Amino acid sequence: MVKHIVSWKFKAEVSAGERARVAEEFARRLQAVKEVADGVLDVKVIVPPLSTSTVDVVLDSTFESEEALAAYQVHPDHVAAGAACVKPYMTDRVCCDYVLD
């Protein structure tokens, strides 16, 4: 199994109300991708993280294999979620992918 953890910060100009709306939409869209993309075992969008965090949104997902992760990354629904919810509102992406023992 493969873990795919990504975090973002919202752009400074994004209001608190927009942050909540965008985060909810992003979580909904990524959960929908889980249902149609092969090899996706789990998807969690964590918003907001605890106040001790230095990021605003975290994606914590698990895949059957590296191939399943690669297919998910180019899946049209995943690409659309990023175009609608990440690119216009978020910045400072950090990603960590690793194989679970």
Side-chain angles (χ1 to χ4, degrees), residues 52-99:
T52 53
S53 300
T54 59
V55 298
D56 299 310
V57 179
V58 176
L59 167 64
D60 181 354
S61 50
T62 308
F63 297 84
E64 289 178 353
S65 64
E66 289 182 63
E67 294 78 18
L69 171 58
Y72 162 84
Q73 290 176 324
V74 297
H75 190 283
D77 293 346
H78 175 261
V79 173
C85 299
V86 174
K87 291 182 183 181
Y89 302 99
M90 298 183 213
T91 185
D92 297 334
R93 179 185 183 271
V94 176
C95 176
C96 179
D97 298 328
Y98 63 96
V99 175

Side-chain angles (χ1 to χ4, degrees), residues 15-80:
S15 71
E18 273 187 305
R19 289 172 187 230
R21 181 189 63 75
V22 168
E24 182 179 310
E25 175 72 7
F26 191 46
R28 184 189 65 74
R29 284 174 169 256
L30 291 183
Q31 284 296 328
V33 175
K34 176 186 171 198
E35 302 306 317
V36 297
D38 293 334
V40 182
L41 301 176
D42 191 35
V43 171
K44 293 181 192 118
V45 178
I46 298 134
V47 183
L50 294 176
S51 62
T52 53
S53 300
T54 59
V55 298
D56 299 310
V57 179
V58 176
L59 167 64
D60 181 354
S61 50
T62 308
F63 297 84
E64 289 178 353
S65 64
E66 289 182 63
E67 294 78 18
L69 171 58
Y72 162 84
Q73 290 176 324
V74 297
H75 190 283
D77 293 346
H78 175 261
V79 173

Side-chain angles (χ1 to χ4, degrees), residues 6-20:
V6 185
S7 63
W8 299 267
K9 290 186 69 77
F10 277 108
K11 295 177 180 177
E13 63 269 18
V14 179
S15 71
E18 273 187 305
R19 289 172 187 230

